[in-house]
Amino acid sequence: MCSSGCETPRECLTGALRALASEDLKSSFGPAVMARTGALVTARNRLDAEVARTVREGELTQAAEHDGKATMASWLRGHHRLSKAEAGRLVRNGRTLERLPMLAAAASAGAVSAEVVSVLAPVVSEVNLARAEAQGVDMAAIDVLLTEVAVTASHADLRQAVGHYLARLDPDGTEPDPTEQRSLSFTTHTDGTVSFHGTLDAVGGEKFQAAVESIQQASRPAGDTRSRARRAGDALVQLCDNALASGALPILRGHKPQVLVTIDLEDLMDTSTGAGAARTGFGGIISAAKARWLACDGNVTRIVIGPEGQPLDFGQTKRLFPPHLRRAIEVRDRHCVFAGCDAPSYWCDVHHVIHWIDGGETCLDNGALLCERHHTKVHHGFRIERQPDGRWRTWRPDGTEILIGEPFLISA
């Protein structure tokens, strides 16, 4: 394929990236650095276009089913550790490039970035394509015009052009469904802190602010030096405390929602134990001191861990897993155990690894958390198995194992 002797384009790409990574940049002067950066940005744009095109082909051919995944987005999240937002962006970009061939050509040439393609994605959404067809809009001409703006104007100008087109496409602006304007996402950091980002419609935002403000204004002791932002954060946590304590929240898989903390008995009793001793139900890491503080609340579920690090097996023989045994399995598995899936425990069923009708017991060793989709997969040919070291492995119906890429480790 090339002078280096590689046989496929992917081998050429791998070799080129390896060669680039081995170049010494310390001796490069300003112009050389700028030229290299420009070339790499163009190459990245071209590579992003190829990734989007390939993801689209996988979507059209349902390639993710080979690994038991429902969509390319879920496969990208599970097998390549992409965020939900990034996986969704790749899927949308693949559809956008398919529907806007002039833009696809510009992306393939490296003239526009993946971010630019994302800006143009609403133009070819199903709703807007239907509106364009109803009004006799020439989409080929729109493709040419917007691509020209994308390759010649600033990013801000492109956003303005796209917004102008969409506004002209729907001048009356039908009243949007407020639920379509709402989103909320959470990120748990290594120290257990949680960041969240969201958007609410006008009415939903007013309700949210009114609820937080009511608690914030009701708790203003004399001499309070907290900032307004900190008082709002405290009010939000108090709002959650009130809701959890009320007992009025919806049932989650057979039991009321509550705070779950897992901690070794030794750590719970040892007041000198520091940070990272306990794990919350949503994957956060907290100190033993915080775990002891939560353990003082009678509404907190406690599960004693055995000497080998396993939750106690209560030896139940019922067909359905009772709440206390389900809790123990949640502590051990934490999420769906199917390869590449990170569906949280409250989405999951407890699956009998050896089916109960075949003599499988309703006990800890014979239980596994599986989300609804993968529970169905396992009952239709896929197979899971827990190893002696506690890791779960997954096999396809043809007997081949679904393997997840090993994490990249930097040598010492």
Side-chain angles (χ1 to χ4, degrees):
M1 293 293 295
C2 67
S3 58
S4 62
C6 55
E7 296 182 356
T8 67
R10 282 187 294 175
E11 288 182 6
C12 292
L13 176 61
T14 301
L17 292 174
R18 188 181 298 114
L20 284 168
S22 66
E23 288 183 351
D24 180 18
L25 301 182
K26 298 299 183 184
S27 59
S28 300
F29 294 100
V33 172
M34 302 308 291
R36 188 180 196 269
T37 301
L40 289 176
V41 169
T42 299
R44 185 189 67 171
N45 292 345
R46 300 179 72 175
L47 187 57
D48 283 341
E50 280 303 306
V51 174
R53 187 167 73 96
T54 306
V55 168
R56 177 57 176 163
E57 182 63 21
E59 185 180 34
L60 292 172
T61 59
Q62 298 182 323
E65 287 285 354
H66 181 65
D67 284 341
K69 307 298 284 186
T71 64
M72 286 300 294
S74 62
W75 183 86
L76 288 165
R77 294 197 306 269
H79 286 250
H80 291 279
R81 304 177 181 88
L82 269 61
S83 67
K84 184 176 181 180
E86 177 62 13
R89 184 183 68 85
L90 276 174
V91 172
R92 286 192 301 274
N93 281 9
R95 297 171 185 170
T96 302
L97 293 177
E98 180 185 51
R99 294 167 178 173
L100 296 175
M102 286 300 296
L103 180 66
S108 182
V112 297
S113 67
E115 186 179 16
V116 165
V117 178
S118 295
V119 172
L120 287 162
V123 172
V124 289
S125 69
E126 297 295 342
V127 171
N128 288 327
L129 284 177
R131 289 172 177 166
E133 182 179 6
Q135 298 177 37
V137 175
D138 184 354
M139 286 306 301
I142 295 299
D143 182 15
V144 172
L145 291 172
L146 290 179
T147 300
E148 183 177 357
V149 175
V151 300
T152 60
S154 69
H155 196 76
D157 288 343
L158 175 63
R159 285 187 175 278
Q160 188 174 21
V162 171
H164 179 70
Y165 167 75
L166 295 177
R168 293 289 298 273
L169 195 63
D170 184 27
D172 296 330
T174 57
E175 187 66 25
D177 181 349
T179 62
E180 294 179 356
Q181 298 175 283
R182 300 171 187 165
S183 65
L184 184 62
S185 59
F186 297 89
T187 301
T188 302
H189 304 288
T190 54
D191 62 353
T193 58
V194 176
S195 298
F196 54 91
H197 174 77
T199 300
L200 297 177
D201 63 286
V203 175
E206 184 69 14
K207 292 178 180 178
F208 175 70
Q209 291 181 82
V212 172
E213 187 70 17
S214 67
I215 295 177
Q216 188 171 332
Q217 294 300 325
S219 179
R220 299 184 64 183
D224 188 356
T225 59
R226 295 174 299 167
S227 67
R228 178 170 175 81
R230 181 179 169 188
R231 285 190 286 116
D234 289 342
L236 180 58
V237 173
Q238 184 62 57
L239 183 65
C240 295
D241 282 343
N242 295 349
L244 288 168
S246 71
L249 291 175
I251 297 298
L252 284 177
R253 296 291 182 177
H255 50 77
K256 294 180 179 180
Q258 53 196 286
V259 175
L260 173 66
V261 174
T262 306
I263 183 171
D264 289 342
L265 181 61
E266 292 80 3
D267 290 335
L268 186 63
M269 302 300 294
D270 183 4
T271 58
S272 65
T273 302
R279 181 182 294 274
T280 66
F282 285 93
I285 304 296
I286 63 174
S287 67
K290 289 181 180 177
R292 285 191 294 274
W293 168 55
L294 288 170
C296 293
D297 188 338
N299 290 328
V300 174
T301 300
R302 302 180 185 90
I303 299 176
V304 180
I305 306 299
E308 297 181 356
Q310 298 298 320
L312 293 180
D313 184 352
F314 293 91
Q316 298 296 310
T317 56
K318 297 178 181 179
R319 172 181 172 183
L320 299 179
F321 286 86
H324 63 276
L325 188 51
R326 176 187 171 88
R327 280 292 194 186
I329 293 172
E330 287 178 337
V331 168
R332 184 194 65 194
D333 293 344
R334 297 190 297 184
H335 55 74
C336 176
V337 302
F338 197 96
C341 186
D342 59 357
S345 59
Y346 52 87
W347 288 6
C348 296
D349 299 320
V350 181
H351 165 70
H352 286 79
V353 178
I354 300 176
H355 200 270
W356 63 272
I357 202 170
D358 297 324
E361 297 183 9
T362 303
C363 62
L364 181 68
D365 290 338
N366 196 42
L369 287 184
L370 288 173
C371 67
E372 183 178 16
R373 172 179 174 77
H374 289 134
H375 200 174
T376 302
K377 287 288 185 184
V378 167
H379 279 279
H380 289 81
F382 285 78
R383 180 170 61 88
I384 59 169
E385 183 178 297
R386 191 166 186 268
Q387 304 305 299
D389 62 2
R391 293 186 305 111
W392 287 94
R393 298 170 66 181
T394 308
W395 284 269
R396 303 181 183 91
D398 63 6
T400 59
E401 185 177 1
I402 298 178
L403 299 174
I404 306 299
E406 294 296 326
F408 178 71
L409 300 178
I410 300 177
S411 59

